[in-house]
Amino acid sequence: MEPKRIREGYLVKRGSVFNTWKPMWVVLLEDGIEFYKKKSDNGPKGMIPLKGSTLTSPCLYFGKRMFVFKITTTKQQDHFFQAAFLEERDAWVRDIKKAIKCIEGGQKFARKSTRRSIRLPETIDLGALYMSMKDTEKGVKELNLEKDKKIFNHCFTGSCVIDWLVSNKSVRNRQEGLMIASSLLNEGYLQPAGDLSKNAADGIAENPFLDNPDAFYYFPDSGFFCEENSSDDDVILKEEFRGIIIKQGCLLKQGHRRKNWKVRKFILREDPAYLHYYDPAGGEEPLGAVHLRGCVVTSVESSTDGKKSDEDNLFEIITADEVHYFLQAATPKERTEWIKAIQAASRTGK
């Protein structure tokens, strides 16, 4: 029986021989981590056993290279991985730590069962409650909050969640609301943002969810992003970088000349609406930008040469200047999320 796949996606990995950083398709299994040169490869380029391994995060060995974590095996071999953004790194770190802990305890990796651990009533439908919370008119309001010189975009406080549950009569009191909110957190319907809520979710506090105005949370598909404030008020950004970041991550992009596919890190901003793409292995300056105002974005089944792609999840952006960009997501869900986010930005941005 093959080991269970826990998490997979693009990460940038540091080579063990030449010390160069290259994007890899990484798969977290119950007993190890496999990394592939391409997602479509039949076999992995390498495998890192997790038994006896230790994980270090954040890893600050590489100066300006952010969101790096390190795995050290029992043979004292160091493996360095870099995520595209903070929340992606933290998600990988949480799952890898849990996988290592499960190996040590001789247990199978499993997401926490809320109903068994918190004794959630069978009448509560967390999925339906989550959809109500996300309602744009009557749901929990997403805000841009500032704390410790950081701006947390598209998030809300723990107190706001409990307030909403009580005011909507989803719970009888705040204590019951805390139980339901903890259930939503454990099942992945809510995600912690910031050290206070992350520490509570990791078990440092008595309750995994905090009814606290300083504890921040976000919906997993909201486009949440945390960014540092600049201390230099005289810095003037280019117009295209002034927009709020609403989504980011790695996608495959087809080149306009050679038609080859490469992994790129994409950052989507709204007002003004731009999609910048970067070399995920390094470089602070974008390789290019797509002005999204008035663009059309759709899913497609073939690439520019008209041939059926070896992989699914393709989509196309056609700008107002009729420039075509072909991109490929890792999953159908990811493709849908990117299409919806780009469509929304193109309607509201400059």
Side-chain angles (χ1 to χ4, degrees), residues 12-30:
V12 178
K13 185 181 183 300
R14 185 174 185 255
S16 56
V17 179
F18 297 106
N19 298 331
T20 54
W21 293 81
K22 292 183 179 180
M24 295 282 179
W25 181 258
V26 182
V27 179
L28 171 61
L29 306 171
E30 290 177 304

Side-chain angles (χ1 to χ4, degrees), residues 74-301:
T74 54
K75 295 182 179 180
Q76 299 304 306
Q77 293 176 325
D78 291 333
H79 299 271
F80 298 92
F81 293 91
Q82 181 183 23
F85 52 99
L86 177 65
E87 292 70 39
E88 182 180 57
R89 184 198 67 188
D90 288 350
W92 276 95
V93 167
R94 280 196 297 269
D95 282 347
I96 294 171
K97 282 184 176 179
K98 185 172 182 179
I100 293 173
K101 189 174 180 180
C102 287
I103 293 171
E104 292 173 350
Q107 300 170 331
K108 283 283 187 180
F109 187 102
R111 301 292 181 189
K112 196 170 183 179
S113 175
T114 300
R115 294 192 185 277
R116 287 197 297 271
S117 61
I118 305 182
R119 296 183 181 177
L120 188 66
E122 294 296 332
T123 53
I124 296 292
D125 186 338
L126 291 179
L129 184 60
Y130 168 71
M131 294 306 296
S132 297
M133 293 175 71
K134 289 196 65 183
D135 186 277
T136 53
E137 294 183 1
K138 299 180 180 180
V140 177
K141 300 303 179 187
E142 295 179 278
L143 305 169
N144 295 339
L145 303 173
E146 186 173 350
K147 185 181 179 183
D148 298 331
K149 294 185 178 181
K150 295 179 181 178
I151 299 174
F152 297 83
N153 298 290
H154 299 279
C155 70
F156 37 83
T157 69
S159 297
C160 285
V161 172
I162 306 300
D163 289 343
W164 185 90
L165 290 170
V166 172
S167 64
N168 281 271
K169 297 185 168 85
S170 299
V171 296
R172 290 171 294 181
N173 50 55
R174 298 190 78 83
Q175 186 60 36
E176 191 173 286
L178 199 58
M179 180 186 74
I180 298 301
S182 297
S183 304
L184 289 163
L185 182 71
N186 289 336
E187 295 293 339
Y189 291 110
L190 300 177
Q191 294 291 327
D195 293 337
L196 185 63
S197 55
K198 287 179 181 178
N199 288 338
D202 288 339
I204 295 177
E206 182 179 351
N207 198 297
F209 188 92
L210 298 178
D211 181 3
N212 188 318
D214 291 324
F216 298 165
Y217 300 89
Y218 64 95
F219 297 124
D221 55 353
S222 66
F224 165 83
F225 181 67
C226 173
E227 53 189 333
E228 300 277 354
N229 272 341
S230 173
S231 58
D232 186 356
D233 295 331
D234 296 327
V235 173
I236 301 177
L237 296 174
K238 291 181 181 178
E239 178 67 19
E240 63 190 63
F241 292 102
R242 290 182 181 273
I244 295 173
I245 295 175
I246 59 173
K247 189 172 180 60
Q248 60 179 327
C250 287
L251 297 166
L252 281 171
K253 177 185 175 293
Q254 188 181 52
H256 282 102
R257 294 180 180 177
R258 298 174 60 187
K259 306 299 181 186
N260 56 337
W261 292 84
K262 291 187 177 181
V263 179
R264 295 294 181 233
K265 175 183 173 179
F266 286 84
I267 296 181
L268 174 62
R269 292 178 170 87
E270 66 176 359
D271 197 24
Y274 275 90
L275 183 65
H276 294 93
Y277 52 95
Y278 301 74
D279 180 354
E284 297 181 6
E285 293 297 320
L287 299 175
V290 184
H291 190 195
L292 298 175
R293 183 63 174 170
C295 78
V296 175
V297 55
T298 58
S299 58
V300 294
E301 300 304 323

Side-chain angles (χ1 to χ4, degrees), residues 48-63:
I48 304 168
L50 290 180
K51 185 176 181 180
S53 294
T54 58
L55 189 145
T56 304
S57 178
C59 179
L60 307 177
Y61 292 174
F62 303 102

Side-chain angles (χ1 to χ4, degrees), residues 7 11 27 344:
R7 176 178 292 276
L11 293 172
V27 179

